[in-house]
Amino acid sequence: MKTNLRTYTVADICNGFTYNELEGKGLYGLSGRLTIQPEYQRNYIYADGKKDVAVVESALHGYPLGIFYFNRTAGGQLEVLDGQQRITSLGRYVTNRFAIIDDMDIPRKFAALTAGQQQQILSTELLVYECEGTEEEILQWFETVNIAGVPLNNQELLNTVCSGEFVTLAKQEFSNSQNANIQKWSHFVSGSVNRQDYLARALDWVSRGNVKKYMSDHRHDTDINELKRYFDSVISWIESVFTDVEKEMCGQEWGRLYETYHLQPYNPTEVAARVQELYADPYVKNRRGIFEYVLGGCKEQRLLDIRVFDEATKRKVYQKQTAEATKHNISNCPLCAIGHTANSHRMWKQAEMDADHVTAWSKGGATTIDNCQMLCKTHNRAKGNR
């Protein structure tokens, strides 16, 4: 790959700067010759009142802004390989889209600065390496230079490797913070739109976990119909089964749950009643497990993290153990009965005993009546996790 070191001023870069407020990204600079956010780039994430302000203040005080990398395309146009967050911040400021706080705690947009301050920013020089190479070389270099700063997450890296028509359309749908569906999706999908988390989830669901292969196979598709259809199907299924939205529903493995259970019939009214019953149960320690527990027919108690036996179970087990012990003239504590102490024939009262998992809960033992035994308090404490 060839590289050429160039110097541009902020005024050069921001000449003809355009910013798409809807999609949250800088589009063009250098009088239209520079594409600030090529399709393989992440969304603009500096608009937080801190990082964007820090970039502008660095220029205002004459601090270095670091190295920038541009890619020169076959047609002679330039694309930002590294530095689009900084460039977009500068472009947004000089076009009066946000303010910085001056030394007197007064917010000032670019137009409110003195002529000298404006010139200080516009004349700031940016050191740029312009690179030329094959698509593979450019994408590999893009990944390398983005190791520093705010690291690319896995989906952002995949977007660079599999850039093309499909990624462009997918980002427009799932990485657009102005999409009216985001509020509904946020009940079930966690993360940030700008950091590609919604896109990552949609791809994970439709690909059954094989995201990279799916993106590679569909890289040059001119539509994302399958992706949207599958994602919408999962969301619609969740809403049809669970009529109440709970905060613990966000971030569940809904793709896996959909594949496992969507062909089974459910009565939404009964499901809602069961969910609320489990929410009110003080023994349920893991509310996030409630939804899969209900979908699976309320069989896998481990999903609920229930470690305490209820009183009815303890009473039944105590009565059964005591009846058996009486027949054989041994202690109703199984561990006392096999010992050689005076307690080997002792009949303990229920209040003197604790319920114990025969197979420890931490080793897969369920909190069910067939895995419950009553032990005297001394043996129960000594048994621990064995």
Side-chain angles (χ1 to χ4, degrees):
M1 184 174 65
K2 299 178 182 178
T3 59
N4 181 34
L5 185 61
R6 292 284 304 274
T7 299
Y8 294 98
T9 64
V10 170
D12 295 331
I13 295 293
C14 294
N15 186 11
F17 174 83
T18 58
Y19 181 76
N20 187 319
E21 202 73 56
L22 184 65
E23 297 182 25
K25 62 182 181 181
L27 299 177
Y28 302 105
L30 279 177
S31 303
R33 291 190 297 114
L34 175 68
T35 300
I36 296 173
Q37 191 179 74
E39 61 187 18
Y40 50 78
Q41 281 276 17
R42 73 170 105 209
N43 284 32
Y44 178 59
I45 61 173
Y46 269 25
D48 60 0
K50 296 180 180 179
K51 298 185 184 72
D52 49 1
V53 168
V55 171
V56 173
E57 289 183 338
S58 293
L60 188 59
H61 292 96
Y63 302 152
L65 288 170
I67 303 295
F68 295 76
Y69 296 90
F70 294 171
N71 167 44
R72 183 174 293 278
T73 66
Q77 292 289 103
L78 295 171
E79 298 176 337
V80 177
L81 270 177
D82 184 58
Q84 69 107 344
Q85 302 290 333
R86 289 168 286 167
I87 289 174
T88 304
S89 296
L90 292 166
R92 289 181 71 244
Y93 186 70
V94 300
T95 54
N96 296 297
R97 294 177 183 271
F98 68 96
I100 62 173
I101 306 299
D102 68 10
D103 295 338
M104 300 180 67
D105 290 331
I106 299 174
R108 295 191 186 278
K109 292 185 177 180
F110 182 76
L113 297 179
T114 67
Q117 290 173 320
Q118 291 179 350
Q119 185 59 32
Q120 171 65 36
I121 292 175
L122 293 175
S123 63
T124 296
E125 293 187 342
L126 307 180
L127 198 59
V128 178
Y129 278 102
E130 292 183 2
C131 313
E132 288 186 71
T134 65
E135 181 182 28
E136 290 75 17
E137 288 176 327
I138 295 301
L139 291 177
Q140 184 178 13
W141 184 239
F142 172 77
E143 180 177 340
T144 301
V145 298
N146 275 279
I147 290 174
V150 180
L152 294 172
N153 62 33
N154 187 60
Q155 187 57 51
E156 289 169 335
L157 286 172
L158 286 174
N159 287 351
T160 72
V161 174
C162 301
S163 62
E165 299 92 329
F166 180 81
V167 167
T168 300
L169 293 171
K171 287 175 66 177
Q172 289 173 358
E173 176 71 15
F174 294 101
S175 303
N176 179 0
S177 60
Q178 302 302 312
N179 188 327
N181 290 314
I182 294 296
Q183 184 174 5
K184 178 176 72 172
W185 296 346
S186 67
H187 295 312
F188 314 116
V189 178
S190 62
S192 165
V193 174
N194 285 341
R195 293 307 305 271
Q196 312 299 317
D197 293 317
Y198 285 72
L199 175 57
R201 192 58 53 235
L203 288 165
D204 178 63
W205 291 355
V206 74
S207 68
R208 282 69 167 178
N210 198 347
V211 175
K212 187 171 184 178
K213 182 178 186 304
Y214 186 87
M215 291 182 68
S216 178
D217 290 344
H218 294 269
R219 180 176 182 178
H220 297 298
D221 286 4
T222 56
D223 67 65
I224 57 169
N225 294 338
E226 181 184 57
L227 178 64
K228 289 178 62 177
R229 186 166 52 248
Y230 192 89
F231 185 83
D232 290 341
S233 295
V234 176
I235 297 295
S236 297
W237 173 75
I238 301 169
E239 294 178 319
S240 69
V241 176
F242 299 99
T243 55
D244 298 327
V245 175
E246 306 290 351
K247 66 178 183 179
E248 288 82 6
M249 298 174 80
C250 186
Q252 295 272 349
E253 296 180 52
W254 289 117
R256 175 179 62 82
L257 297 178
Y258 174 80
E259 284 296 316
T260 305
Y261 299 109
H262 80 277
L263 296 180
Q264 297 186 24
Y266 296 96
N267 183 321
T269 302
E270 293 178 0
V271 168
R274 186 64 177 125
V275 168
Q276 292 308 312
E277 178 185 349
L278 290 165
Y279 260 75
D281 190 336
Y283 293 123
V284 174
K285 304 303 180 185
N286 180 24
R287 287 185 169 183
R288 289 187 60 79
I290 287 175
F291 308 98
E292 184 170 0
Y293 176 73
V294 172
L295 289 171
C298 301
K299 297 176 182 177
E300 295 293 331
Q301 285 198 357
R302 280 185 56 79
L303 292 168
L304 305 180
D305 197 4
I306 296 177
R307 308 188 189 194
V308 181
F309 293 100
D310 58 38
E311 293 302 319
T313 297
K314 289 190 282 187
R315 186 167 55 252
K316 289 179 182 178
V317 173
Y318 174 80
Q319 291 171 349
K320 180 180 179 181
Q321 282 184 203
T322 301
E324 287 294 316
T326 301
K327 282 184 190 179
H328 298 93
N329 191 29
I330 56 175
S331 174
N332 58 351
C333 168
L335 297 185
C336 286
I338 60 175
H340 302 286
T341 67
N343 289 332
S344 61
H345 296 279
R346 179 172 176 173
M347 287 295 176
W348 299 90
K349 296 177 182 179
Q350 184 175 338
E352 299 173 317
M353 306 183 82
D354 290 327
D356 173 66
H357 290 79
V358 178
T359 299
W361 187 93
S362 62
K363 297 180 180 178
T367 308
T368 55
I369 193 168
D370 58 348
N371 193 44
C372 177
Q373 64 180 347
M374 299 297 291
L375 300 179
C376 70
K377 293 182 181 294
T378 299
H379 274 122
N380 184 57
R381 290 169 186 151
K383 181 173 181 284
N385 199 36
R386 289 175 292 175

